[in-house]
């Protein structure tokens, strides 16, 4: 009697799908993630320095523009992580509840899950991860909102980042301006290839512009880190 040696059709998607655990990182880990991202961005300067400024101008400009986009992404990821950290601190009763925290909307399905898992806070970290995962945290309005949500002091952060003796610009105004300038430039590059809608002219880009953005964003993130550290 001959055997059937033909291959049977593999059943697709038959494994149980288990969602990966959402990790609530500690402050220093969050800062380290940001620093790693910044290092990757700054390493691109080594490539630029090996290119001819005139012959390879288009290549250099493309790298510089990509650095702006990645810098915005690094800022966005940092604020997602600091938001999760801060909300968990409030949930655990370590940080004081904010008005925005008290007004977070929770669906009944999540409430039911929380009641089933009374001894665990896993439901909450999963909830806030899903709630904010699609929220862009690069604009001034969104970043300011997240800082208020977790109870960090925006004025202290602005002062730590941008205080200069004799400066005519208020520190909070500079904080708002620099975040806004990065956000707008990032959008111009990501959505328009850095061209003006009016006449398709490319906006000027230079190494100094990118370096100034990187340094200012580092100041902002490190100031947020210090304010959270002092609160913790």
């Amino acid at each position: 009697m001959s055997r059937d040696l033909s291959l049977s059709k593999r059943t697709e998607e038959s494994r149980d799908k288990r969602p990966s655990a959402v990790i609530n990182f500690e402050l220093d880990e969050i800062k380290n993630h940001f620093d790693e991202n910044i290092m990757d961005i700054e390493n691109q300067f080594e490539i630029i320095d090996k290119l001819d400024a005139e012959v390879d101008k288009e290549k250099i400009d493309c790298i510089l523009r990509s650095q702006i986009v990645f810098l915005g992404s690094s800022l966005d990821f940092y604020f997602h992580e600091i938001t999760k950290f801060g909300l968990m601190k409030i949930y655990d009763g370590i940080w004081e509840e904010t008005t925005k925290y008290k007004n977070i909307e929770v669906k009944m399905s999540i409430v039911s899950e929380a009641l089933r898992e009374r001894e665990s806070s896993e439901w909450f970290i999963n909830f806030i991860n899903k709630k904010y995962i699609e929220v862009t945290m690069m604009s001034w309005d969104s970043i300011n909102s997240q800082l208020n949500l977790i109870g960090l002091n925006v004025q202290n952060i602005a002062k730590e980042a941008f205080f200069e003796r004799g400066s005519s610009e208020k520190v909070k105004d500079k904080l708002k301006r620099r975040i806004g300038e990065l956000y707008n430039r990032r959008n111009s590059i990501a959505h328009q290839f850095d061209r003006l809608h009016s006449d398709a002219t490319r906006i000027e880009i230079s190494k100094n512009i990118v370096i100034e953005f990187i340094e200012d964003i580092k100041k902002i993130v490190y100031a947020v880190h210090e304010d959270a550290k002092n609160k913790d």
Side-chain angles (χ1 to χ4, degrees):
M1 186 175 179
S2 62
R3 290 183 297 165
D4 183 3
L5 299 178
S6 61
L7 296 175
S8 59
K9 186 177 180 180
R10 182 165 63 92
T11 304
E12 300 288 344
E13 305 294 338
S14 58
R15 289 187 178 182
D16 293 335
K17 290 185 178 180
R18 295 183 179 180
S20 57
V22 178
I23 301 174
N24 185 38
F25 293 100
E26 294 299 322
L27 273 177
D28 286 342
E29 292 177 304
I30 294 172
K31 181 178 176 294
N32 287 341
H33 294 158
F34 174 79
D35 286 336
E36 288 169 3
N37 291 339
I38 293 299
M39 186 179 297
D40 287 341
I41 293 169
E42 291 179 328
N43 285 342
Q44 300 306 305
F45 287 128
E46 296 179 9
I47 298 174
I48 290 173
D49 292 340
K50 293 176 183 177
L51 298 173
D52 187 290
E54 294 184 6
V55 176
D56 298 312
K57 186 179 186 315
E58 288 188 10
K59 292 180 182 178
I60 292 171
D61 287 356
C62 191
I63 294 171
L64 292 172
R65 289 187 172 97
S66 71
Q67 286 176 296
I68 295 290
V69 174
F70 289 136
L71 181 61
S73 299
S74 300
L75 185 67
D76 179 79
F77 188 74
Y78 174 82
F79 274 101
H80 274 88
E81 290 204 305
I82 204 71
T83 295
K84 286 192 294 186
F85 174 84
L87 288 176
M88 285 304 301
K89 285 291 184 181
I90 296 173
Y91 177 82
D92 290 334
I94 300 172
W95 288 7
E96 185 178 350
E97 291 185 356
T98 64
T99 301
K100 283 182 174 290
Y101 174 87
K102 293 176 182 177
N103 291 326
I104 293 176
E105 294 183 0
V106 184
K107 293 181 179 180
M108 281 305 300
S109 59
I110 303 297
V111 174
S112 298
E113 183 181 349
L115 291 173
R116 288 194 301 271
E117 300 179 12
R118 293 172 185 268
E119 304 301 319
S120 172
S121 60
E122 186 176 347
W123 73 271
F124 186 70
I125 188 68
N126 288 332
F127 162 68
I128 59 177
N129 187 64
K130 289 178 183 177
K131 183 174 179 65
Y132 295 105
I133 196 169
E134 294 182 359
V135 177
T136 301
M137 299 183 190
M138 283 184 278
S139 70
W140 163 250
D141 287 342
S142 62
I143 287 175
N144 186 45
S145 178
Q146 296 311 107
L147 291 173
N148 288 326
L149 171 66
I150 59 178
L152 296 185
N153 191 307
V154 178
Q155 183 63 33
N156 286 350
I157 291 166
K159 184 177 180 181
E160 177 70 22
F162 292 121
F163 175 76
E164 290 181 17
R165 193 174 300 279
S167 176
S168 60
E169 185 176 22
K170 294 179 180 178
V171 289
K172 190 173 179 180
D173 289 343
K174 184 170 183 179
L175 175 65
K176 180 179 180 179
R177 175 172 64 82
R178 289 304 281 161
I179 289 174
E181 287 172 347
L182 174 65
Y183 182 61
N184 292 335
R185 192 62 189 267
R186 177 264 177 198
N187 285 348
S188 175
I189 296 167
H191 301 299
Q192 303 155 216
F193 216 109
D194 223 12
R195 292 184 183 273
L196 296 173
H197 281 300
S198 56
D199 58 5
T201 302
R202 280 251 172 88
I203 303 172
E204 181 186 352
I205 190 76
S206 69
K207 184 177 178 180
N208 285 340
I209 289 173
V210 177
I211 290 174
E212 286 175 5
F213 269 130
I214 291 173
E215 292 307 311
D216 281 349
I217 295 307
K218 283 162 66 175
K219 289 176 184 177
I220 293 167
V221 167
Y222 294 164
V224 173
H225 177 78
E226 287 302 313
D227 197 59
K229 201 171 182 180
N230 292 335
K231 188 180 180 70
D232 198 33

